Amino acid sequence: MSTRFRAPLAALVLLGALQGPAAHAQALSDTRGQPVDRIVAIVNNGVITQRQLDQRVEMIRRRLGQGAQLPPDDQLRSQVLNQMVLDDLQLQRAKEGGITVDDGEVDRTVERLAQANGMTVTQFRNRLAAEHVDWDSFREDARNELLLTRLRQREVDSRITVSDAEVASYLASQRGSGPAASEVNVQRIVFKVDPNAPADQQQAAQQRAEAALKEVQGGADFARLAKRESQAEEAAKGGEMGFQAADTLSDEYRQAVANLAPGQVAPNVVHTSQGYEVVRLAGRRAQSGANQSVTQTHASHILIRIGNGTSEPAARNKLLDIKRQVEAGGDFGAFARANSQDGSAATGGDLGWINPGQTVPEFERAMNRLPIGQVSDPIRTEYGYHLILVSGRRQTQESAQQQQEAARQTIGARKADQAFDDWLRQLRDSAYIQYKLDDDN
């Protein structure tokens, strides 16, 4: 999915959607003279208390409103506590890594949030007070969201790379025409034999090719073997034939590389007009200099994420209620600013002009079916539930460079999300965590 579908602070702490990770940051120090409350989890050298958990659960109930279908109380509290543990682990790692956020950055973030809600900072603060949200805790939430964003950038996002081969493969799949929509660099080891040669000569050439294939499959360097064994003119270049349009290849080569990823070797010897060959796909890329006409869609959305106390039925019901109000004349953008848990919330859910393949398939299919001006039913994707509004479509010429850059961003965002999930799992596995939620004292 596009990186625009991620959920930074600007979406998560809009009015009616307050769920920052540090509502529990002041552990035992904020008891205001009350006795020390019960510990419900130990996270390395830190703790989460019963009062902090109660505050977070109550915040979620208030955010979802009356009539929301929530999980049973014990399941809800367990889900919320698990998220609080993950938040604490990340905050601890950020502190260990020397990541800091100064007061000026927090001030600027709060100002942006106030503006996104159409208020001054003073009005915003008064509105939060009316919703029983402590201002100092809110600012601490904002600070910690910035910390977690910087932590993810340093630990995960900055390490993501996207190869040219990945971009080319992605573009080919999005065009729906497979590898034929790309250029390929075929690498080969050729054992020549005349097509009219006797059977014993044919067999000898085939056996030599099969022996070479076994060497490659056993780990031998393809280019070195090509220089030593191949009888083709490009042997000195390691067998590389150079990039050429896939649809200009002979049927034998096209079939041999059709299902290969760059770097893979065809599993069987290929019989061509020159003899018997071992074939490897050295690279794949989008056709150079090619412009293509694409249909762009101007769309907006409202995203409700699943988890942290929000069940599937609750998310669907909330969006169905919003859809009814929009169809009755409500402002989609206003509902997005107040409810969407996505970075586009600040701009009323506006995603701009979207190219084919720029969003996840479920979202794109629903968006493409929508008539202009209509709102979709709730659509489930890996990110949660969406309402989609299409406000326009247009045809445009997109250069190969633009296609490649858009594909690179999309692939990078997906890889980053997966890498972040893996990183969180490793962080949790290496930590000392003790749950005491069910303890009597």
Side-chain angles (χ1 to χ4, degrees):
M1 187 120 185
S2 165
T3 54
R4 294 174 297 188
F5 281 15
R6 293 163 67 183
L9 173 72
L12 295 180
V13 297
L14 288 173
L15 295 179
L18 297 170
Q19 51 178 339
H24 60 286
Q26 302 176 32
L28 299 176
S29 62
D30 192 29
T31 56
R32 300 178 183 177
Q34 299 176 10
V36 175
D37 57 21
R38 186 168 72 90
I39 293 173
V40 293
I42 299 172
V43 186
N44 291 325
N45 295 323
V47 298
I48 298 172
T49 69
Q50 181 72 58
R51 188 169 65 87
Q52 293 161 357
L53 176 60
D54 291 343
Q55 289 174 342
R56 179 67 71 89
V57 171
E58 178 58 31
M59 180 177 61
I60 290 170
R61 293 186 186 280
R62 187 168 61 244
R63 173 172 61 84
L64 293 178
Q66 298 294 327
Q69 297 185 30
L70 292 169
D73 187 67
D74 57 344
Q75 184 179 342
L76 173 63
R77 298 176 74 80
S78 177
Q79 291 175 358
V80 173
L81 182 57
N82 283 334
Q83 185 60 50
M84 292 173 73
V85 167
L86 283 177
D87 293 340
D88 270 6
L89 286 173
Q90 293 174 79
L91 291 171
Q92 290 174 18
R93 176 61 65 88
K95 183 177 180 180
E96 292 168 359
I99 300 175
T100 60
V101 173
D102 61 39
D103 290 341
E105 293 172 290
V106 176
D107 291 340
R108 288 189 291 274
T109 297
V110 172
E111 288 172 6
R112 287 195 297 270
L113 293 172
Q115 291 171 2
N117 284 275
M119 303 178 188
T120 65
V121 173
T122 300
Q123 291 171 331
F124 190 49
R125 181 170 182 171
N126 291 338
R127 178 66 180 275
L128 290 173
E131 295 190 358
H132 308 290
V133 177
D134 178 73
W135 182 249
D136 290 337
S137 295
F138 178 80
R139 284 180 57 85
E140 191 66 14
D141 285 341
R143 187 187 307 276
N144 286 335
E145 278 287 349
L146 292 171
L147 283 170
L148 296 189
T149 298
R150 291 184 181 178
L151 176 68
R152 170 170 171 158
Q153 173 61 32
R154 190 176 75 176
E155 297 288 334
V156 179
D157 293 355
S158 63
R159 303 178 184 182
I160 298 298
T161 60
V162 179
S163 69
D164 291 343
E166 289 176 303
V167 170
S169 179
Y170 175 86
L171 288 172
S173 67
Q174 292 301 320
R175 291 182 184 124
S177 55
S182 61
E183 293 180 339
V184 294
N185 182 6
V186 176
Q187 194 174 8
R188 62 179 185 167
I189 304 171
V190 181
F191 297 90
K192 290 187 175 182
V193 62
D194 190 282
N196 299 317
D200 60 335
Q201 294 181 23
Q202 297 277 351
Q203 185 177 12
Q206 183 177 358
Q207 288 175 345
R208 291 181 64 195
E210 289 174 347
L213 176 60
K214 288 182 179 179
E215 283 192 58
V216 171
Q217 292 172 336
D221 184 272
F222 194 100
R224 185 175 302 169
L225 194 60
K227 291 177 182 178
R228 189 181 76 217
E229 300 285 348
S230 181
Q231 297 170 334
E233 45 280 313
E234 69 276 353
K237 298 185 293 183
E240 289 191 27
M241 300 170 67
F243 278 101
Q244 53 190 302
D247 56 5
T248 65
L249 296 175
S250 67
D251 290 340
E252 294 86 1
Y253 286 129
R254 191 161 56 245
Q255 292 172 11
V257 303
N259 298 315
L260 297 182
Q264 290 184 333
V265 177
N268 300 305
V269 167
V270 179
H271 188 197
T272 71
S273 59
Q274 294 192 48
Y276 292 87
E277 307 182 19
V278 181
V279 175
R280 177 179 182 268
L281 180 60
R284 192 192 301 278
R285 69 185 185 191
Q287 289 181 346
S288 58
N291 289 356
Q292 72 174 37
S293 177
V294 296
T295 300
Q296 292 182 324
T297 304
H298 192 181
S300 302
H301 83 143
I302 300 171
L303 170 66
I304 303 296
R305 295 178 181 271
I306 305 302
N308 200 19
T310 304
S311 65
E312 301 246 354
R316 279 185 52 83
N317 290 341
K318 187 176 184 69
L319 289 178
L320 284 171
D321 182 57
I322 292 173
K323 179 182 179 181
R324 285 191 290 269
Q325 295 183 66
V326 170
E327 290 177 339
D331 184 347
F332 188 95
F335 280 107
R337 282 188 287 271
N339 296 279
S340 187
Q341 299 169 2
D342 174 72
S344 65
T347 57
D350 188 3
L351 299 172
W353 289 99
I354 300 174
N355 291 325
Q358 201 168 348
T359 66
V360 291
E362 302 88 348
F363 188 99
E364 183 164 329
R365 284 195 294 268
M367 178 182 70
N368 290 342
R369 289 195 300 264
L370 270 180
I372 293 175
Q374 288 193 13
V375 179
S376 72
D377 287 330
I379 303 300
R380 182 69 160 99
T381 74
E382 62 191 271
Y383 297 92
Y385 278 95
H386 311 253
L387 282 187
I388 306 171
L389 170 65
V390 171
S391 54
R393 289 191 174 90
R394 69 185 183 189
Q395 293 294 121
T396 185
Q397 292 291 323
E398 188 178 45
S399 69
Q401 184 176 0
Q402 290 173 320
Q403 296 170 40
Q404 291 166 12
E405 182 57 31
R408 194 177 300 278
Q409 291 181 4
T410 300
I411 297 168
R414 293 182 183 178
K415 291 177 72 173
D417 286 342
Q418 181 59 56
F420 182 64
D421 289 342
D422 294 340
W423 178 82
L424 270 183
R425 193 176 303 111
Q426 294 171 8
L427 183 64
R428 185 185 183 110
D429 290 346
S430 64
Y432 174 78
I433 301 170
Q434 182 181 2
Y435 288 96
K436 303 173 72 66
L437 185 59
D438 297 328
D439 291 358
D440 293 331
N441 49 52

